[in-house]
Amino acid sequence: MLKRLFLITALLATIPGIWNGYYQTTEVVFEGIRETCYGTLLSKKSESGTWSYQMELDLNAPEEVRNFFKEYQDTDHFFYLNYFQDVTDGLLYWPYYPPEEFKILLYFPDTGTVIVSDPLDRYSLSSPFKAVIDHGRMSVERNYDYLKMIRITLCRAVILTIFAVVTAILYAQPYNNEIRYMILGNFLYQALINTLIALYSYRNGFSYVEYILLMWLPYLLWFLLQGFLLSKRARGVSMPYLCSFFSNAVAYFAGLLLVDVLPFLYTIQ
């Protein structure tokens, strides 16, 4: 039975054409730019999503700048995908389908200075980087807010634990010394499942699409396990499996509401 459930979930997760509403992006914040500057990402491949080295856009920039990027030849054969930005204010943002492997190319038209980074990789859904320009050189490092990811993961776990435990208490009215087992068990489950969600969201984003397709299985397994544990440890709960069912049903639908109404609790952009 469990094998069939795992197989169904795996098949649902790989249905072609399903899109959760999130695009891969890349953001580079610059420090040290003190004159007019234009920048782009050079791609290891000749295409990335809808971007291509053969596609030409009418970009709002001086002809000298457009010609520079169009004629630039990279020594490692990275491609210009016909997209650049004015990054004088310190930001380069590639809104969707940025290159997987790329270099950052900067051009300063006032002085004719050209700066190119070492090869970099897109590493998350938003892939934020910080680049420091100093004496004609560029140093780049990843700039992802991992502390924020941890905070929102714990926040989800705590909120859904509260929903589950309060429901169990209202329904079953367990003994006081049994409540702590409910709190501990539900928090451990929520911490585990929300950590897995965070790891997935880090690369792909997470929406109600994945929630509906995937989350029913872990909640079903936890419902069965929690019902078994309550039957062994919670003598004050007369119908442990029914108690487990209601508490998990409330937590499941609370999570569905959160991911739909407060998507920032699931995906950092």
Side-chain angles (χ1 to χ4, degrees):
M1 180 64 178
L2 288 179
K3 289 183 179 180
R4 292 180 181 179
L5 291 175
F6 279 116
L7 179 60
I8 291 172
T9 302
L11 290 174
L12 288 173
T14 56
I15 293 176
I18 290 180
W19 175 56
N20 66 3
Y22 292 105
Y23 285 107
Q24 296 275 345
T25 64
T26 295
E27 175 184 288
V28 185
V29 175
F30 296 96
E31 290 185 4
I33 294 179
R34 295 179 173 81
E35 59 181 286
T36 301
C37 179
Y38 294 86
T40 189
L41 305 181
L42 301 175
S43 174
K44 184 65 175 178
K45 297 181 180 179
S46 60
E47 295 181 353
S48 181
T50 58
W51 308 99
S52 168
Y53 80 103
Q54 295 179 327
M55 177 185 68
E56 293 191 14
L57 297 176
D58 184 18
L59 298 171
N60 184 21
E63 183 176 356
E64 171 201 351
V65 176
R66 296 199 302 268
N67 289 338
F68 165 79
F69 284 105
K70 185 176 180 179
E71 297 170 3
Y72 182 80
Q73 298 293 321
D74 183 69
T75 56
D76 296 323
H77 306 292
F78 279 64
F79 294 90
Y80 166 60
L81 300 185
N82 287 283
Y83 178 73
F84 66 85
Q85 290 181 333
D86 185 339
V87 298
T88 307
D89 292 332
L91 176 66
L92 189 157
Y93 180 70
W94 198 295
Y96 57 94
Y97 298 121
E100 287 280 357
E101 185 178 355
F102 60 92
K103 292 182 178 181
I104 302 171
L105 171 64
L106 298 181
Y107 176 56
F108 299 82
D110 294 342
T111 58
T113 303
V114 179
I115 303 177
V116 187
S117 73
D118 294 328
L120 302 162
D121 293 304
R122 194 174 73 201
Y123 65 94
S124 69
L125 178 69
S126 55
S127 293
F129 292 87
K130 178 181 177 181
V132 178
I133 312 302
D134 186 32
H135 295 92
R137 298 180 62 86
M138 183 183 345
S139 59
V140 186
E141 62 182 19
R142 295 181 179 183
N143 196 31
Y144 193 87
D145 194 344
Y146 291 101
L147 288 178
K148 182 178 180 180
M149 182 174 71
I150 294 172
R151 287 196 302 269
I152 65 174
T153 299
L154 289 174
C155 182
R156 293 196 307 268
V158 170
I159 291 173
L160 297 177
T161 297
I162 291 173
F163 272 101
V165 173
V166 169
T167 301
I169 293 173
L170 292 176
Y171 174 80
Q173 296 182 349
Y175 299 137
N176 290 337
N177 64 338
E178 295 171 345
I179 295 177
R180 67 174 181 269
Y181 293 115
M182 292 182 175
I183 295 174
L184 178 61
N186 279 282
F187 180 75
L188 289 177
Y189 163 73
Q190 292 295 343
L192 173 60
I193 198 65
N194 279 283
T195 297
L196 295 177
I197 289 174
L199 295 175
Y200 177 89
S201 177
Y202 175 74
R203 288 286 301 178
N204 307 288
F206 190 87
S207 72
Y208 63 87
V209 175
E210 288 93 348
Y211 196 97
I212 292 173
L213 290 179
L214 302 175
M215 293 302 294
W216 61 273
L217 178 56
Y219 270 99
L220 175 61
L221 296 176
W222 174 236
F223 147 65
L224 295 173
L225 177 58
Q226 185 182 42
F228 173 77
L229 293 175
L230 289 176
S231 68
K232 297 298 183 182
R233 289 185 171 271
R235 302 300 180 184
V237 179
S238 58
M239 292 182 287
Y241 283 94
L242 202 55
C243 174
S244 179
F245 171 78
F246 282 119
S247 66
N248 280 285
V250 169
Y252 174 85
F253 285 107
L256 181 60
L257 182 64
L258 284 179
V259 75
D260 189 30
V261 178
L262 302 174
F264 64 85
L265 288 179
Y266 286 82
T267 300
I268 297 178
Q269 288 186 294

